[in-house]
Amino acid sequence: MIVQAIAFYAFAAVTLAAAVMVIAARNPVHSVLFLILAFFNSAGLMVLLGAEFLAMILVIVYVGAVAVLFLFVVMMLDINFAELRQGFLQYLPIGGVIGLVLLAELLLLLGSDAIGSIAPAVASSAPTPPINEVTNTAALGELLYTRYVYLFQAAGIVLLIAMVGAIVLTLRQRVGVRKQSVGKQLRRRREAAVELKKVVPRGGV
Amino acid sequence: MAEVGFWGGYAWPALLIALKVLAIVLPLLLIVAYVTLAERKVMAAMQLRVGPNVVGPLGVWQSFADALKMVFKETILPTGANRVVFLAAPALMFTLAMIGWAVIPFDDGLVLSDINVGVLYLFAISSLGVYGIIMAGWASNSRYAFLGALRSAAQMVSYEVSAGFVIITVLLAVGSLNLSDIVEAQRDLWLVIPLFPMFVIFFVSALAETNRHPFDLPEAESELVAGYQVEYSALTFGLFFIGEYANMCLMSALTTILFLGGWLAPFDVAPFTWIPGIVWFALKIALCLFVFVWVRATLPRYRYDQLMRLGWKVFLPISLFWVALTAVVLVVFDWLPQT
């Protein structure tokens, strides 16, 4: 248990430090790199909890895909963070209030779970399979694709709509762009492309 | 719970794990050294040359001479480079290339860490590889390096998608995320036979993810000099180099496990089963690596828009269709793996 405890405190400490550095770093690229470090250490915390499937998905989706695109954009843009931070003190109170509200909500949720006012209802509606018998990939799959299948599909549709929206917003038809059309190239026949000309000497083509 | 002492409970297991890690990493580095030599020899043979033949008999010490040269050269830090990120990038690349091997089963039960989500772990590790390249390109403070890094980021993210769908197809057919289980499920029939198109797509995606020919646009010599690694010298370059070849080996190992039956003999009868599984595993990896080199010596480099077209407009629809087709076939014929 000591090893787990040490690992937990190491992961948690690095996550917190990295999260602070995300907003404290002067260079935006460093901020994104710290964000990635925070993601990665949260994945470590999930492994310690026994949720290895979620940990791997976190790394694959957030670190492997989302953060790459994030980094991509931040590197291309020339953001001056010092300018952005001008109004930091001005916005501090409202940001602090939002943070406090979120913290209070979290505490309420955890507290109610400990007291047991909501917990039995949740437990009876979604039986968690015993952790020793089923791998948590199988356990998640069994719940997601049976009991919560409609919610799961609804989440998928929301993502699909977001994707279609993003494409519609950014798609623009440019005229005069010479694009390669592979189908057209493959359809081209020798007869249409090559022509044998009889050239008269000194006459030119 | 019984009280365990410091030595019995923590120190000896930790020491044992460290020894096991060494037993994987040291042979791996040696293999990487010889993969570089084999690549040069095979390409030389394909181009009717001799290849390296001066250092040692048939040039067998060539890679060690190169390594020694690399170690003793000067590490140059470019002006205006972001030092910490610049030096962290090759270290990250090398580390990621090594830690993937933690879950690879070399033989029945011969695996450092037999975790339940082995495939996802490997997928996660290979998707992290792009950070080494992006960080290197950005921190170098050089146009060529930055262009190489941007190309690489877009390329690796694109081909990961189709590779992911291929992996899902395999998981559907096997019913487990554990690499040893995946190999065991292929005892009767290697998955390369029923899922041949997926095997091709996976291998091509592996070429793209390791930035190898014909997808080596991130380091295209003729236009970007050497892409993201243009500012690196000495050991920092060496780490990138080793990382790239170790990644090639890792992708070959993954291809072997997913499609070519891992450590299993091609036929489950006497003369084939006498050879130990780890030898079969090594032979199959060698075969994949040979194809990597063969492709490099044969094909010209893709143009960047063609690369993107192949990834998004060809591989993605085909692999998506095959995921659906595999699922339908498994359900209709009631072949779903029972867990």
Side-chain angles (χ1 to χ4, degrees), chain B residues 150-227:
Chain B
L150 290 183
R151 282 183 179 186
S152 158
Q155 174 179 332
M156 288 171 97
V157 170
S158 310
Y159 278 83
E160 232 159 57
V161 182
S162 47
F165 278 121
V166 175
I167 290 176
I168 290 177
T169 326
V170 172
L171 298 183
L172 276 175
V174 173
S176 171
L177 289 159
N178 184 307
L179 290 169
S180 303
D181 289 351
I182 291 175
V183 174
E184 273 308 320
Q186 302 180 50
R187 194 165 276 283
D188 300 322
L189 183 69
W190 290 2
L191 281 174
V192 64
I193 297 164
L195 297 176
F196 187 72
M198 293 276 95
F199 169 71
V200 175
I201 288 182
F202 187 77
F203 196 80
V204 176
S205 301
L207 286 175
E209 282 211 26
T210 46
N211 294 326
R212 289 284 302 182
H213 272 268
F215 307 112
D216 66 336
L217 288 139
E219 45 187 287
E221 294 92 349
S222 47
E223 33 181 327
L224 290 184
V225 197

Side-chain angles (χ1 to χ4, degrees), chain B residues 10-73:
Chain B
Y10 299 113
W12 287 124
L15 209 63
L16 201 66
I17 291 172
L19 282 179
K20 282 181 186 168
V21 170
L22 276 185
I24 291 176
V25 169
L26 289 183
L28 180 65
L29 290 179
L30 205 65
I31 287 169
V32 164
Y34 277 99
V35 168
T36 60
L37 181 68
E39 175 173 35
R40 292 171 71 178
K41 280 282 188 188
V42 169
M43 287 220 344
M46 286 176 181
Q47 295 163 352
L48 298 179
R49 296 183 285 117
V50 182
N53 67 339
V54 177
V55 192
L58 293 173
V60 286
W61 307 125
Q62 180 68 47
S63 355
F64 297 98
D66 288 345
L68 219 64
K69 179 196 75 176
M70 216 121 74
V71 170
F72 284 111
K73 281 199 167 184

Side-chain angles (χ1 to χ4, degrees), chain A residues 1-3 27 29-30 33 36 40 52-53 56-57 59-60 62-69 71-72 75-76 135-138 142 180 182-183, chain B residues 1 10 82 85 96 99 115-117 119-121 123-125 127-128 130-131 134-135 138 146 149-151 153-154 157 160 177 303 305-306 309:
Chain A
M1 293 314 278
I2 298 174
V3 178
N27 191 326
V29 175
H30 288 178
L33 290 176
I36 292 160
F40 202 71
E52 69 252 18
F53 181 76
M56 293 303 151
I57 291 296
V59 173
I60 292 171
Y62 282 91
V63 182
V66 174
V68 173
L69 298 179
L71 198 59
F72 206 90
M75 278 178 182
M76 305 277 275
T135 63
N136 61 52
T137 316
E142 269 162 26
Q180 180 185 23
V182 176
Chain B
M1 193 190 278
Y10 299 113
N82 196 309
V85 181
L96 288 175
I99 58 176
I115 60 175
N116 275 328
V117 286
V119 180
L120 289 181
Y121 174 81
F123 197 56
I125 295 299
S127 69
L128 287 180
V130 66
Y131 285 110
I134 298 192
M135 281 161 70
W138 178 76
F146 191 56
L150 290 183
R151 282 183 179 186
V157 170
E160 232 159 57
L177 289 159
R303 213 172 59 202
D305 61 320
Q306 291 171 333
R309 179 179 164 272

Side-chain angles (χ1 to χ4, degrees), chain B residues 277-288:
Chain B
I278 192 164
V279 176
W280 281 119
F281 191 62
L283 280 176
K284 288 168 187 173
I285 290 183
L287 180 76
C288 290

